[in-house]
Structure formats: C-alpha cells, structure tokens
Amino acid sequence: MENGKIIADIERALSEVLQRPVSGMPKETRLFEDLHLDSTSILELLMALEDSVGIEVDPENLEMSDFTSLETLAEYVTGNLNDNT
C-alpha cells in the first residue's frame, strides 16, 4: 500500500478519535506532544486503523517508538500490512 494512502487513513482515524478534522499534517507530527493523544486514544486509533486499513494489531508487539510521530505510525502500519499479505 502506498505511503500517502496510509497517511490519509491515519488522518481519517485521527479525525474520528479526536472528533475534529485532521488532514495535511507533516510526517514529523508527534502524536503525544503535538496532538495530545494518550494511551486510551492510541488504543482507539489502533482499533479505527484495524477497521479501515485491515491490519491486525497484537498488543504484545507494540513499542512506544511506533507512536513517536505520524511517520513512525505509518511505518508500523506498513510493517503490519506486509506481515499480513
């Protein structure tokens, strides 16, 4: 899947979780510091991504470094897509 599509899917999921429009963010946007996500909203984001992108998230394999920025989350999603194909 194309990186731009993954970013767009993440932005749609973030819009759902944050209950406000989110789009056009730079890939360096930090999820915790810039968007003020917390552990609960990260779980909601992952569930939304499971539904929209079709990835399966294993909580045992999650690392905090996967949620540093929009870019690291996109890499995580891409990695899980590759594992599921």
Side-chain angles (χ1 to χ4, degrees):
M1 183 179 287
E2 177 187 322
N3 193 38
K5 168 120 174 57
I6 291 172
I7 297 288
D9 287 333
I10 292 171
E11 288 179 338
R12 275 192 295 282
L14 281 167
S15 294
E16 182 180 319
V17 169
L18 296 173
Q19 298 179 347
R20 64 179 168 87
V22 175
S23 66
M25 296 185 305
K27 64 183 179 182
E28 297 82 13
T29 301
R30 299 170 300 173
L31 300 179
F32 290 101
E33 295 87 349
D34 298 331
L35 297 177
H36 307 289
L37 296 180
D38 59 19
S39 58
T40 302
S41 54
I42 288 290
L43 290 175
E44 291 176 28
L45 176 62
L46 289 172
M47 289 189 299
L49 288 170
E50 282 181 324
D51 292 341
S52 67
V53 180
I55 63 169
E56 187 171 322
V57 176
D58 180 0
E60 296 293 319
N61 293 329
L62 294 175
E63 299 288 332
M64 282 302 295
S65 60
D66 296 327
F67 306 101
T68 303
S69 67
L70 181 59
E71 181 176 34
T72 59
L73 180 56
E75 290 170 0
Y76 171 81
V77 170
T78 301
N80 277 289
L81 287 173
N82 290 337
D83 289 344
N84 291 327
T85 56

